[in-house]
Amino acid sequence: MKAEQLHQLIWMSRPLMQAAESCVEDGLAGTNLTVRMRAVLEILHKYGEQTVPELAARLEIQRQYVQIMCNETLASGFIEQRANPRHKRSPILALTNQGSTLIEDILSNEMQIMQEMSEGLSTEDIATALKVVLFVVDGLKKRAGERK
Protein backbone atom coordinates (compact mmCIF):
# COMPACT_ATOMS: atom_id res chain seq x y z
CA MET A 1 0.00 0.00 0.00
CA LYS A 2 2.79 2.48 0.88
CA ALA A 3 4.57 1.76 -2.40
CA GLU A 4 1.39 2.46 -4.38
CA GLN A 5 0.80 5.72 -2.53
CA LEU A 6 4.40 6.80 -3.09
CA HIS A 7 4.08 5.93 -6.77
CA GLN A 8 0.91 8.02 -6.99
CA LEU A 9 2.66 10.93 -5.24
CA ILE A 10 5.48 10.84 -7.79
CA TRP A 11 3.09 10.72 -10.73
CA MET A 12 1.10 13.63 -9.30
CA SER A 13 4.20 15.80 -9.70
CA ARG A 14 3.42 16.36 -13.40
CA PRO A 15 -0.11 17.74 -12.90
CA LEU A 16 1.21 19.71 -9.92
CA MET A 17 3.90 21.36 -12.03
CA GLN A 18 1.50 21.97 -14.92
CA ALA A 19 -0.99 23.66 -12.57
CA ALA A 20 1.78 25.68 -10.91
CA GLU A 21 3.17 26.81 -14.27
CA SER A 22 -0.30 27.83 -15.43
CA CYS A 23 -0.81 29.83 -12.25
CA VAL A 24 2.62 31.46 -12.66
CA GLU A 25 1.81 32.34 -16.29
CA ASP A 26 -1.44 33.97 -15.18
CA GLY A 27 0.52 36.02 -12.63
CA LEU A 28 2.91 37.23 -15.33
CA ALA A 29 0.18 38.79 -17.47
CA GLY A 30 1.18 42.30 -18.49
CA THR A 31 4.81 41.96 -17.33
CA ASN A 32 6.40 40.95 -20.66
CA LEU A 33 7.97 38.01 -18.82
CA THR A 34 7.83 34.35 -19.71
CA VAL A 35 7.98 31.60 -17.09
CA ARG A 36 11.57 30.95 -18.20
CA MET A 37 12.56 34.59 -17.73
CA ARG A 38 10.84 34.65 -14.34
CA ALA A 39 12.97 31.68 -13.25
CA VAL A 40 16.14 33.60 -14.10
CA LEU A 41 14.94 36.64 -12.15
CA GLU A 42 13.99 34.53 -9.14
CA ILE A 43 17.40 32.83 -8.92
CA LEU A 44 19.22 36.16 -9.24
CA HIS A 45 16.95 37.68 -6.62
CA LYS A 46 17.44 34.81 -4.19
CA TYR A 47 21.17 34.17 -4.66
CA GLY A 48 22.56 37.38 -6.15
CA GLU A 49 24.59 37.72 -9.30
CA GLN A 50 25.44 34.49 -11.10
CA THR A 51 27.07 33.18 -14.25
CA VAL A 52 25.10 31.05 -16.71
CA PRO A 53 26.76 27.83 -15.45
CA GLU A 54 25.86 28.78 -11.86
CA LEU A 55 22.26 29.48 -12.87
CA ALA A 56 22.12 26.15 -14.71
CA ALA A 57 23.35 24.32 -11.62
CA ARG A 58 20.74 26.01 -9.41
CA LEU A 59 17.94 25.31 -11.90
CA GLU A 60 19.27 21.78 -12.53
CA ILE A 61 18.95 22.13 -16.30
CA GLN A 62 21.44 22.20 -19.16
CA ARG A 63 23.67 25.23 -19.50
CA GLN A 64 22.78 25.68 -23.17
CA TYR A 65 19.09 25.97 -22.35
CA VAL A 66 19.81 28.43 -19.53
CA GLN A 67 21.86 30.50 -21.98
CA ILE A 68 18.76 30.87 -24.16
CA MET A 69 16.70 31.84 -21.09
CA CYS A 70 19.31 34.43 -20.10
CA ASN A 71 19.55 35.87 -23.61
CA GLU A 72 15.77 36.47 -23.58
CA THR A 73 15.96 38.05 -20.14
CA LEU A 74 18.94 40.24 -21.12
CA ALA A 75 17.03 41.51 -24.16
CA SER A 76 14.15 42.52 -21.87
CA GLY A 77 16.35 44.80 -19.78
CA PHE A 78 15.47 43.00 -16.54
CA ILE A 79 19.03 41.72 -16.09
CA GLU A 80 22.42 43.03 -17.10
CA GLN A 81 25.75 41.48 -17.97
CA ARG A 82 28.95 42.38 -16.12
CA ALA A 83 32.55 41.43 -16.71
CA ASN A 84 33.67 38.42 -14.72
CA PRO A 85 37.20 38.87 -13.38
CA ARG A 86 37.44 35.08 -12.78
CA HIS A 87 36.43 34.02 -16.28
CA LYS A 88 36.49 36.21 -19.40
CA ARG A 89 34.06 34.06 -21.38
CA SER A 90 31.47 33.64 -18.62
CA PRO A 91 30.01 37.04 -17.73
CA ILE A 92 28.19 37.70 -14.49
CA LEU A 93 24.44 38.32 -14.71
CA ALA A 94 22.67 40.60 -12.25
CA LEU A 95 19.21 42.09 -11.82
CA THR A 96 18.62 45.62 -13.00
CA ASN A 97 16.58 47.90 -10.73
CA GLN A 98 13.59 47.27 -13.00
CA GLY A 99 14.12 43.49 -12.81
CA SER A 100 14.52 43.58 -9.04
CA THR A 101 11.31 45.55 -8.53
CA LEU A 102 9.41 43.30 -10.93
CA ILE A 103 10.46 39.99 -9.34
CA GLU A 104 9.76 41.34 -5.86
CA ASP A 105 6.21 42.25 -6.94
CA ILE A 106 5.71 38.85 -8.59
CA LEU A 107 6.99 36.94 -5.56
CA SER A 108 4.83 39.02 -3.24
CA ASN A 109 1.74 38.18 -5.32
CA GLU A 110 2.68 34.50 -5.38
CA MET A 111 3.18 34.44 -1.61
CA GLN A 112 -0.30 35.93 -1.20
CA ILE A 113 -1.71 33.04 -3.24
CA MET A 114 0.28 30.55 -1.13
CA GLN A 115 -1.02 32.21 2.04
CA GLU A 116 -4.60 31.81 0.85
CA MET A 117 -4.05 28.18 -0.19
CA SER A 118 -2.33 27.30 3.09
CA GLU A 119 -5.38 28.22 5.16
CA GLY A 120 -6.75 24.69 4.72
CA LEU A 121 -3.51 23.06 5.91
CA SER A 122 -1.62 22.94 9.16
CA THR A 123 2.05 23.85 9.43
CA GLU A 124 2.71 20.20 10.26
CA ASP A 125 0.87 19.02 7.11
CA ILE A 126 3.05 21.25 4.95
CA ALA A 127 6.24 20.24 6.78
CA THR A 128 5.42 16.55 6.32
CA ALA A 129 4.64 16.98 2.63
CA LEU A 130 7.88 18.88 2.10
CA LYS A 131 9.85 16.25 4.00
CA VAL A 132 8.39 13.46 1.86
CA VAL A 133 9.01 15.29 -1.42
CA LEU A 134 12.61 16.10 -0.48
CA PHE A 135 13.18 12.47 0.54
CA VAL A 136 11.75 11.15 -2.73
CA VAL A 137 13.70 13.63 -4.88
CA ASP A 138 16.93 12.74 -3.09
CA GLY A 139 16.27 9.02 -3.41
CA LEU A 140 15.43 9.22 -7.10
CA LYS A 141 18.49 11.37 -7.85
CA LYS A 142 20.72 8.89 -6.05
CA ARG A 143 19.23 5.97 -7.99
CA ALA A 144 19.59 7.83 -11.29
CA GLY A 145 23.21 8.63 -10.39
CA GLU A 146 23.94 4.98 -9.71
CA ARG A 147 23.13 4.11 -13.32
CA LYS A 148 25.52 6.66 -14.81
Side-chain angles (χ1 to χ4, degrees), residues 5-146:
Q5 289 177 312
L6 191 56
H7 187 260
Q8 183 178 8
L9 173 71
I10 292 168
W11 282 103
M12 288 304 299
S13 66
R14 180 181 282 286
L16 171 64
M17 287 309 301
Q18 289 172 333
E21 187 169 334
S22 180
C23 189
V24 168
E25 283 176 344
D26 289 349
L28 297 177
T31 65
N32 295 321
L33 279 180
T34 64
V35 172
R36 297 183 327 184
M37 293 164 67
R38 183 216 166 278
V40 171
L41 296 183
E42 183 177 12
I43 295 294
L44 294 175
H45 179 265
K46 186 172 183 177
Y47 298 103
E49 56 188 34
Q50 306 269 303
T51 62
V52 169
E54 290 168 335
L55 279 162
R58 293 214 187 266
L59 291 166
E60 298 187 35
I61 54 180
Q62 291 184 350
R63 188 202 59 76
Q64 294 84 350
Y65 185 67
V66 174
Q67 185 66 61
I68 293 167
M69 295 166 61
C70 290
N71 290 345
E72 292 173 349
T73 313
L74 274 165
S76 73
F78 296 128
I79 64 172
E80 61 189 7
Q81 213 169 276
R82 299 180 184 155
N84 183 350
R86 296 174 301 176
H87 196 290
K88 289 183 182 184
R89 291 177 37 145
S90 187
I92 294 172
L93 302 171
L95 291 171
T96 61
N97 288 338
Q98 181 185 16
S100 182
T101 299
L102 180 58
I103 194 62
E104 286 172 10
D105 289 346
I106 289 167
L107 291 171
S108 176
N109 290 337
E110 291 175 358
M111 284 301 111
Q112 181 59 40
I113 292 168
M114 294 299 104
Q115 181 64 40
E116 291 168 11
M117 288 180 62
S118 72
E119 289 175 9
L121 299 166
S122 70
T123 303
E124 293 79 18
D125 290 338
I126 296 169
T128 300
L130 181 58
K131 178 181 174 183
V132 171
V133 168
L134 291 172
F135 180 85
V136 170
V137 167
D138 184 58
L140 291 173
K141 282 182 178 181
K142 284 178 182 171
R143 286 182 172 274
E146 290 172 2

